Every structure is written in C-alpha cells, then in structure tokens.
Amino acid sequence: MVQVLKPAVRARIQDAALRRFAADGYPGTSMAAVAAAAHTASANLYRYYGSKQELFNAVVPRDLADRHDTLLDTRVAALTQDAPDAQAAAAELLGFWLDHRLAMVVLLDRADGTPFAGYPAAFVQRLVRHAEQALNGRPSPAQHE
C-alpha cells in the first residue's frame, strides 16, 4: 500500500530541518537529527525527502536568496537617494528578515557544503558595491532593474 504524504508531517520536517541547519549548519546536520527533531523515523523522513540536499533546497530555496538580494538592493538604493519610500523599503526588508530569520542565519553563516556557501562573501561584496557607488555618486544596481 502506498503511503499518503501528509502536509502536516512535511511542515514539521521542514521546520525541524530549518532549526537544525540554523543551529548546526549544513555539514553538522544529519537526516537522523532532523528526523528526531521532527518526531518521526528516519525512514519516514526519506519518504518525504530523498536526500539532505533536497531537504535543504526545500527550506532554503534559491528564490529566497534572490528575494533577499532584491530587497537589500531596494533598501540601500532608497537610502542613498533619500527616496520618499525609504521607510517602506526598510520595513519590507526587516519583515523579510523576521519572517525568514532561521533561513537568513543559514544563508549568512551556516551554508558550507551547499550552493550558498559563498553567500556571506557575496552579501558583503554587494554592500561594498553599494557603498562605493554611493561615494562616487553613481546609481545603485536597484535603479537599473
């Protein structure tokens, strides 16, 4: 008999995985630890996600990092141009950080061994680029989109 995958169990697994990745990093997190944190058996976990990388991709998707980059660019552009919507851009970025706080911890500090391993350095470079452009009076990248 085929097991029916339950949305509530999937959500519990994703929540546990994100907490484990944020606490222990990608390399330090095992599927067994995620299963234990989700109060399920490892075999059940593998019914939902075939690998740790697949599970990671579900809880820290590429579009989350892309959205963060866009919000950051928009906020910095609003600051450097003294734009009237600067407060709205700040609130949106802060809301994103709060809504995705654990994923941001993973992206900015605990993603070694994943496609996001270079994200912290890229984040700093993005901020440096914005600062250099502001000092030189050039428009920030968000203005060109």
Side-chain angles (χ1 to χ4, degrees):
M1 174 188 251
V2 175
Q3 180 186 14
V4 176
L5 301 181
K6 299 169 186 78
V9 173
R10 183 178 302 276
R12 196 171 72 232
I13 290 169
Q14 288 180 350
D15 179 64
L18 195 52
R19 285 185 284 115
R20 295 288 16 110
F21 290 137
D24 301 325
Y26 180 81
T29 298
S30 68
M31 292 291 270
V34 172
H39 306 290
T40 192
S42 291
N44 192 41
L45 176 69
Y46 280 102
R47 288 186 184 100
Y48 287 83
Y49 297 97
S51 68
K52 183 167 80 165
Q53 185 64 54
E54 184 182 333
L55 177 56
F56 181 85
N57 293 343
V59 298
V60 185
R62 175 80 246 168
D63 64 332
L64 184 111
D66 293 342
R67 178 74 178 135
H68 176 253
D69 292 344
T70 299
L71 290 171
L72 182 66
D73 290 345
T74 300
R75 173 59 177 143
V76 172
L79 279 171
T80 59
Q81 299 162 20
D82 208 19
D85 63 345
Q87 291 301 327
E92 190 174 10
L93 181 59
L94 180 59
F96 180 88
W97 284 339
L98 292 172
D99 291 344
H100 303 285
R101 64 179 65 85
L102 292 178
M104 291 309 303
V105 167
V106 174
L107 278 174
L108 292 171
D109 189 46
R110 305 205 172 115
D112 289 345
T114 76
F116 295 115
Y119 193 84
F123 173 76
V124 170
Q125 282 304 113
R126 183 176 228 96
L127 292 175
V128 168
R129 239 182 359 265
H130 280 295
E132 288 172 341
Q133 289 168 343
L135 288 172
N136 294 325
R138 292 181 297 181
S140 66
Q143 290 176 291
H144 297 295
E145 296 175 0

